[in-house]
Amino acid sequence: RRFPGCGNIVTFSQFLFIAVEGFIFEANLGRKRPAIPIRNYFIMVAMFFTVSVVNNYALNLNIAMPLHMIFRSGSLIASMALGIIILKKRYSVSKYSSIALVSLGIFTCTFMSAKQVASDSSSSQEDGPQAFLWWLLGIAALTFALLMSARMGIFQETLYKKFGKHSKEALFYNHALPLPGFLLLAPNIYQHAVLFSQSELFQVPVIGLTLPIMWFYLLMNVITQYVCIRGVFILTTECTSLTV
């Protein structure tokens, strides 16, 4: 809410933390060779980096955070569609029905969000159409990221079937290899680092350490994201991409 465009510094911090942790504990400081050929990780990383960056920029395009979160749960229908097209899968009637219901819910939420955008911008007739066009562009960005994310899930599923289960290794390479790509976003990351440092001071409970509150929020976000994404990568080795 304070800095809607801070997605890049958040994503960079998450990637850096997970890459450093993986380099120490999984890659054994670079001494351990990957079980899955590195070229496959480069393909996966290209998808992963694209999804992360596009999702971040969608927040700058008049997309509210609740809609952003709900829309990303629409990966169900994207995963099923790509599973049918690419893996030639067939699903039970109950799965088709449940995904249709979830998709209907997402469509309803998106429609109501569009009405909200229209009513928020109605006070200024000049800005109204422009705000709605930015919102449409944001929806297009989210849709692209959704399809790319589903394709990445299917690619991971195929890799694990071929080379075996290596969730910690995949987690490390997915976060370490894209790090140079953040150089393209360095000015934006630096700008928000300065803004974070200028936020009011906050004393961390128990530890008693004092630091700017935005850095504290970022630290909490990085830790919770690590727990979340580690669980997701373990799930991808145990279940199909649709189940995940």
Side-chain angles (χ1 to χ4, degrees):
R1 279 202 296 267
R2 294 195 191 190
F3 305 106
C6 73
N8 290 325
I9 192 174
V10 173
T11 304
F12 171 69
S13 303
Q14 293 168 353
F15 276 49
L16 184 64
F17 177 84
I18 293 166
V20 170
E21 189 272 343
F23 184 70
I24 296 167
F25 297 106
E26 173 57 29
N28 194 15
L29 300 176
R31 291 192 289 264
K32 183 181 172 186
R33 288 176 61 83
I36 297 173
I38 200 81
R39 66 178 180 276
N40 292 302
Y41 283 123
F42 275 110
I43 297 169
M44 201 189 302
V45 158
M47 296 178 183
F48 194 47
F49 185 76
T50 304
V51 167
S52 298
V53 172
V54 171
N55 273 323
N56 286 339
Y57 275 110
L59 289 171
N60 290 335
L61 300 172
N62 225 3
I63 299 293
M65 181 57 84
L67 174 64
H68 192 278
M69 295 169 73
I70 290 166
F71 202 92
R72 285 176 73 176
S73 69
S75 58
L76 274 173
I77 194 164
S79 287
M80 175 174 272
L82 292 183
I84 293 167
I85 295 165
I86 297 167
L87 301 177
K88 310 298 180 189
K89 285 189 173 183
R90 291 294 175 267
Y91 300 97
S92 62
V93 174
S94 60
K95 280 189 179 178
Y96 286 123
S97 305
S98 57
I99 286 173
L101 286 168
V102 171
S103 302
L104 178 64
I106 291 165
F107 172 78
T108 306
C109 178
T110 307
F111 180 72
M112 295 309 292
S113 172
K115 288 180 71 176
Q116 184 66 40
V117 168
S119 64
D120 287 348
S121 56
S122 61
S123 55
S124 172
Q125 288 187 341
E126 288 182 24
D127 292 343
Q130 188 179 2
F132 187 70
L133 282 172
W134 279 117
W135 179 86
L136 281 178
L137 191 61
I139 291 295
L142 285 177
T143 304
F144 171 79
L146 205 62
L147 291 167
M148 182 68 79
S149 179
R151 182 66 187 90
M152 188 181 79
I154 289 171
F155 185 69
Q156 279 179 291
E157 187 183 330
T158 309
L159 280 184
Y160 294 144
K161 280 179 183 175
K162 188 175 180 181
F163 297 104
K165 300 173 182 179
H166 302 284
S167 63
K168 289 180 183 176
E169 179 185 291
L171 181 65
F172 166 62
Y173 282 104
N174 265 288
H175 289 81
L177 293 178
L179 284 178
F182 284 101
L183 289 171
L184 300 170
L185 309 169
N188 180 269
I189 292 169
Y190 176 75
Q191 177 195 351
H192 282 91
V194 171
L195 290 171
F196 279 20
S197 297
Q198 292 169 352
S199 61
E200 68 269 22
L201 294 176
F202 173 76
Q203 188 171 35
V204 183
V206 182
I207 304 171
L209 179 72
T210 302
L211 75 166
I213 194 163
M214 293 306 294
W215 286 112
F216 174 72
Y217 288 153
L218 184 64
L219 177 65
M220 292 296 100
N221 181 282
V222 165
I223 291 169
T224 49
Q225 169 67 8
Y226 171 71
V227 174
C228 171
I229 200 70
R230 185 165 178 166
V232 169
F233 270 72
I234 292 168
L235 271 180
T236 56
T237 62
E238 303 297 328
C239 315
T240 67
S241 57
L242 181 66
T243 305
V244 176

